[in-house]
Amino acid sequence: MDSSALALLLARAGVDHLAVFVDHGLLREGERGEVERALRPLGVRLESVDAAGRFLRALRGAEDPEEKRRIIGREFVETFHSVARERGPFRFLAQGTLYPDVIESAGGEGTANIKSHHNVGGLPAELGFELLEPFRTLFKDEVREVARLLGSRMRSGCVTRFPVPAWPCASSEK
């Protein structure tokens, strides 16, 4: 939901971007189609990438939760690099990172590493993009309100559903 709201925000702001939905093979049944049906009619230029095999192969044998988060972060970035090679170049990677992600991943002053998030502590040191995180200081309820204000036609399930770990949609701006 956070990355969907960001993709919609960029579209409504007139930013030339490509939203990339990464299907990592761990989604709810039908979620990819639901996101596509929700965002495309609202003017979001969306490309869905089937990366399930890539993610599942990379995660095979990994048992430590922190290791899994690093793997997921790395695979997202590698998937974005693949898209950028085909459709780019892209200068920025915009993510729907929220303040709780930052707090839990020791991403700011006075925070402790409770667990890394694929989009904070799980990202590789050499990202290859300039990172934009406009929701970094917001909580989920605030981003839900942004989504409601931006896309009154966005299906309510997309705005209110419980998040899937490693939710896969991020936006890259040329």
Side-chain angles (χ1 to χ4, degrees), residues 4 6 13 33 37 70 72 76 87 98 106 116 124 145 163:
S4 292
L6 177 56
R37 286 188 299 277
R70 284 189 297 276
I72 289 169
F76 270 118
R87 304 281 306 272
L98 300 180
S116 295
E145 184 60 23

Side-chain angles (χ1 to χ4, degrees), residues 101-148:
D101 302 341
V102 175
I103 293 169
E104 291 176 349
S105 299
E109 189 175 324
T111 63
N113 188 12
I114 298 166
K115 66 176 185 176
S116 295
H117 285 259
H118 71 282
N119 57 347
V120 182
L123 290 176
E126 293 298 318
L127 187 58
F129 301 102
E130 290 181 50
L131 190 60
L132 298 176
E133 299 174 307
F135 299 155
R136 188 176 176 91
T137 59
L138 300 179
F139 288 95
K140 184 164 289 293
D141 60 330
E142 294 169 310
V143 175
R144 283 184 172 137
E145 184 60 23
V146 169
R148 281 188 198 92

Side-chain angles (χ1 to χ4, degrees), residues 1 5 8 142-152 154 159:
M1 189 283 299
L8 183 55
E142 294 169 310
V143 175
R144 283 184 172 137
E145 184 60 23
V146 169
R148 281 188 198 92
L149 292 171
L150 289 172
S152 59
M154 184 183 276
V159 174

Side-chain angles (χ1 to χ4, degrees), residues 50-125:
D50 182 357
R54 165 190 206 124
F55 275 76
L56 297 176
R57 277 189 302 278
L59 288 166
R60 187 174 295 132
E63 294 182 19
D64 178 63
E66 283 298 311
E67 178 187 7
K68 290 177 184 178
R69 291 181 191 103
R70 284 189 297 276
I71 290 168
I72 289 169
R74 182 190 70 224
E75 293 304 318
F76 270 118
V77 171
E78 288 303 316
T79 302
F80 294 133
H81 279 288
S82 294
V83 171
R85 280 191 295 276
E86 294 174 18
R87 304 281 306 272
F90 298 107
R91 179 177 170 190
F92 299 102
L93 174 67
Q95 299 191 126
T97 305
L98 300 180
Y99 190 51
D101 302 341
V102 175
I103 293 169
E104 291 176 349
S105 299
E109 189 175 324
T111 63
N113 188 12
I114 298 166
K115 66 176 185 176
S116 295
H117 285 259
H118 71 282
N119 57 347
V120 182
L123 290 176

